[in-house]
Amino acid sequence: MHREAVRKIAGYALAIAFIFAGWHITAMLVGSPALPEPLPAVRQLIAYGDEILPAFGTSLYRVVIAMFAGTVLAIPLGLVCGRSPRLDAVFAPVLYFLYPLPKVVLLPVLIVLMGLADAPKIALIALTIFFQVLVTVRDAAKAVPEDSIESVRSLGAGRLDVYRHVVVPATLPELFTALRISSGTAVAILFFAESLAGSTGLGYFIVNSWALLDYPRMFAGIIAMAVLGVILYELFDVAERRLTRWRRPA
């Protein structure tokens, strides 16, 4: 475990060095104040820490609550629809119609209904995550082999036992894959919502810096938002390793 942590830290260190090197070279070639070099942005990140840290905390709170709400609501419905052809026949047309709809177009409606505080931003992210997780869990539950279910039923397992010991474990890997992918989507929607509605969070910090033509400050906010995305991704990665240990080689 210690070796794995060291390897992951080393990997992130190399990735940061690679990104910063590419960023530095690109900034030199472009030669525009709109694309500052990495060091000025990092200095601004430190200098504006008293502003960035509260904005970071606000954005983290919004995205965590939203992803939790969307996931908790989507998992049961996805499992049931995946294992019940009758319910799936009812919900599938609705899902096919609503899933492709870009949820960001609903932000004005949510603002009118919920105001400019946290609620519309959380609702918008939760709605997007709900459909992404629902589709993944539904398809994963539908793909569970019938032989596995029948073998458990032959031992006297009831419906809840089948879900607990067969369906849920079989869908966990796909669920965590969806959550890792959705974490990037959630951060993108968070930026969109915070930049257009409200005056708090990293999205507002970035757009406000852009309006002030303070590009190093703007990139400091971008770095902070990238860190937010990495934290979410790593949280889901750690959770998957702990909850799906049976998938790891002995």
Side-chain angles (χ1 to χ4, degrees):
M1 191 70 179
H2 176 71
R3 186 179 302 174
E4 183 178 348
V6 171
R7 185 163 51 245
K8 177 158 288 191
I9 292 172
Y12 272 117
L14 289 173
I16 291 172
F18 179 81
I19 292 171
F20 272 39
W23 179 358
H24 178 77
I25 294 171
T26 304
M28 291 180 61
L29 293 175
V30 172
S32 170
L35 182 60
E37 295 181 3
L39 288 182
V42 173
R43 285 196 291 266
Q44 291 291 78
L45 181 65
I46 298 172
Y48 286 95
D50 57 340
E51 293 183 41
I52 291 179
L53 282 177
F56 185 92
T58 299
S59 295
L60 180 63
Y61 162 77
R62 288 168 176 165
V63 74
V64 168
I65 294 298
M67 292 197 71
F68 177 79
T71 302
V72 167
L73 293 173
I75 289 176
L77 184 58
L79 291 174
V80 173
C81 287
R83 298 310 310 170
S84 174
R86 291 183 179 179
L87 283 177
D88 190 52
V90 174
F91 282 103
V94 178
L95 184 61
Y96 294 155
F97 182 79
L98 294 179
Y99 179 72
L101 174 70
K103 311 306 180 295
V104 292
V105 301
L106 299 176
L107 181 60
V109 178
L110 295 175
I111 291 174
V112 171
L113 295 176
M114 300 179 178
L116 293 172
D118 293 338
K121 304 171 184 65
I122 292 174
L124 183 64
I125 299 170
L127 191 62
T128 304
I129 300 304
F130 171 81
F131 281 99
Q132 291 184 345
V133 173
L134 174 61
V135 170
T136 301
V137 172
R138 167 185 170 269
D139 293 345
K142 188 179 294 188
V144 175
E146 290 296 330
D147 293 342
S148 300
I149 295 176
E150 291 302 325
S151 63
V152 174
R153 283 177 176 167
S154 67
L155 298 175
R159 178 172 296 181
L160 291 179
D161 295 319
V162 170
Y163 276 97
R164 178 183 176 185
H165 296 291
V166 180
V167 178
V168 172
T171 58
L172 281 178
E174 285 77 9
L175 169 63
F176 280 110
T177 298
L179 288 174
R180 286 197 300 271
I181 296 172
S182 298
S183 63
T185 304
V187 173
I189 295 174
L190 177 72
F191 169 76
F192 177 81
E194 289 181 341
S195 63
L196 292 183
S199 58
T200 57
L202 289 174
Y204 173 78
F205 181 90
I206 293 170
V207 172
N208 183 56
S209 301
W210 170 66
L212 296 173
L213 302 181
D214 193 343
Y215 297 117
R217 183 175 183 264
M218 180 183 74
F219 272 88
I222 293 173
I223 292 173
M225 186 154 274
V227 172
L228 176 62
V230 171
I231 289 174
L232 292 174
Y233 191 94
E234 281 298 320
L235 286 175
F236 291 128
D237 192 50
V238 171
E240 180 180 14
R241 288 201 304 270
R242 290 183 176 274
L243 294 176
T244 61
R245 292 179 179 177
W246 45 270
R247 297 184 69 211
R248 302 175 65 182

